[in-house]
Structures are given as structure tokens and as C-alpha cells.
Amino acid sequence: GQQLNQSPQSMFIQEGEDVSMNCTSSSIFNTWLWYKQDPGEGPVLLIALYKAGELTSNGRLTAQFGITRKDSFLNISASIPSDVGIYFCAGDKITQGGSEKLVFGKGTKLTVNP
Amino acid sequence: GAVVSQHPSRVICKSGTSVKIECRSLDFQATTMFWYRQFPKQSLMLMATSNEGSKATYEQGVEKDKFLINHASLTLSTLTVTSAHPEDSSFYICSARVGSSPQHFGDGTRLSIL
């Protein structure tokens, strides 16, 4: 099935550092989403991208939807301890049956050392 | 806004028991709800897509008789794991959306079958 290639798998950084992670796919997506998941909880939506080339910010987070609609990156500036968690990219696609569903990347586990 | 509540958060029960998990959209009417399963250190795997008043659409490899989904209203969907066995132990997460808006996730249910 379709897959999103998300990298890196894990990151260990110092508080205050900037972080960048990205996702690529061989397929085109209508919408690209970034979620964060804390242990034992469900994913929380961070940023939604709808247009090719779109650059969107949410506080210290910035994400861009690639012009080809096949990739996206997420940047976190000036990281803080509460940024710890697993970040997932997800592409929203329309199936052959006409329904929409998300395809998830495998996640980037972020550890921030105080 | 866009709050999704999932209940219970944790279930521990004996093998052979049927378990029901509820997913509610608290402040919006969800046209579509989704059920995911997540194994430790892995990404979310879509099990089924559910539209209010119609039969759920199951992903390939997901047993519809094992995982019964009922979507009786625009704010409630239930997943029943019938005759659960230890291999059904997992983290189950629901999500809900309005139209083509991003999916918002519940906090998940940790199911442990002894």
C-alpha cells in the first residue's frame, strides 16, 4: 500500500535547538497534516496544509507542503522540554471508492534534553 | 473546538470477553469517524471508516465480524471487539471529521486481554 517515508526516526537534541523533520511520498496528496502524539494519548493536530507550496506557522512550528504535493517538512524552533513526543506526518487522499483516508508516516520520536 | 472523547481509556479483561469502545465528538457533528489500531512504537493503522447510518468500510485484513462498528448518530461511533483474545491487545484510537476537514483524534483505549 501507499507509504509515507518519514525521517529521521528519532532525534536527540538540547533545549533551545531547532528541529527539522520531513516526509516524502511517491504519490500526490490533497492535504498534508502534521500530528504530535504523547505516550498513551491520541495524536493532536499541529498543522494542516492544503495548497502546494503552502508555508504555514503555528507558534514555534512551521510546515510547508511541497510544490509537487509529494513531500512536506516540519520545523520546530527553540525547542523546549514539552516538545518531547512522536511527530507523525499524514497525507489525506481520496480512495478509488471516493472516500478520504489518511496515510501516516512512521513517526519521528523527539527527545529534548534540558 | 473539535474535541473527540473516547471511553474507556483502559480495559483489562479475560479472553473470550467482548469489549465495547465509544467514540464521541463533543462539540461538532462528525460526518465520518475512523477507527485505528496502534502497536507499540508503530504508526497508526486504519481499521475502518464509518459514516453515520451506513455500514462501515473495513480495510483489507480487518475482520468485520471480529470488530463490529456501529455509527448510530453524528456524534457517536462504537467499536466492539468480539470474543477478544490476547492477540487483540493493542491501543485503539478513534478519530472524527466534518466533511473534508482534518481528522481529530480521541485519547485512545488501551485494551489488554489476559
Side-chain angles (χ1 to χ4, degrees), chain A residues 35 37 42 92 100-101 104-105, chain B residues 38 43 59 97 100 102-103 106:
Chain A
Y35 289 90
Q37 186 178 28
D92 202 349
E100 292 184 62
K101 66 177 186 179
F104 280 87
Chain B
Q38 186 177 34
S43 188
E59 294 299 300
R97 74 191 302 180
S100 297
Q103 292 180 33

Side-chain angles (χ1 to χ4, degrees), chain B residues 40-95:
Chain B
K41 298 184 179 181
Q42 293 192 20
S43 188
L44 283 74
M45 182 186 76
L46 180 65
M47 299 175 65
T49 301
S50 172
N51 292 296
E52 184 261 342
S54 61
K55 291 183 179 180
T57 301
Y58 289 81
E59 294 299 300
Q60 191 172 9
V62 178
E63 300 176 56
K64 59 182 65 177
D65 294 330
K66 176 73 171 178
F67 300 99
L68 299 179
I69 292 173
N70 182 276
H71 194 161
S73 76
L74 285 173
T75 59
L76 173 64
S77 177
T78 61
L79 169 68
T80 301
V81 184
T82 61
S83 187
H85 292 285
E87 60 267 27
D88 298 322
S89 298
S90 190
F91 193 52
Y92 293 87
I93 312 174
C94 72
S95 72

Side-chain angles (χ1 to χ4, degrees), chain A residues 17-91:
Chain A
E17 290 183 356
D18 297 343
V19 173
S20 183
M21 58 193 79
N22 70 84
C23 277
T24 62
S25 173
S26 58
S27 301
I28 292 174
F29 289 95
N30 305 316
T31 305
W32 208 290
L33 307 163
W34 284 94
Y35 289 90
K36 181 192 177 198
Q37 186 178 28
D38 291 329
E41 298 183 12
V44 174
L45 179 66
L46 299 174
I47 292 180
L49 302 161
Y50 300 98
K51 299 178 182 178
E54 179 180 357
L55 181 70
T56 298
S57 294
N58 178 6
R60 293 178 296 107
L61 279 60
T62 301
Q64 184 161 31
F65 198 173
I67 291 182
T68 63
R69 288 184 171 271
K70 294 182 180 181
D71 63 290
S72 176
F73 70 76
L74 173 70
N75 289 339
I76 305 173
S77 62
S79 59
I80 59 178
S82 61
D83 290 334
V84 166
I86 301 178
Y87 292 80
F88 289 101
C89 62

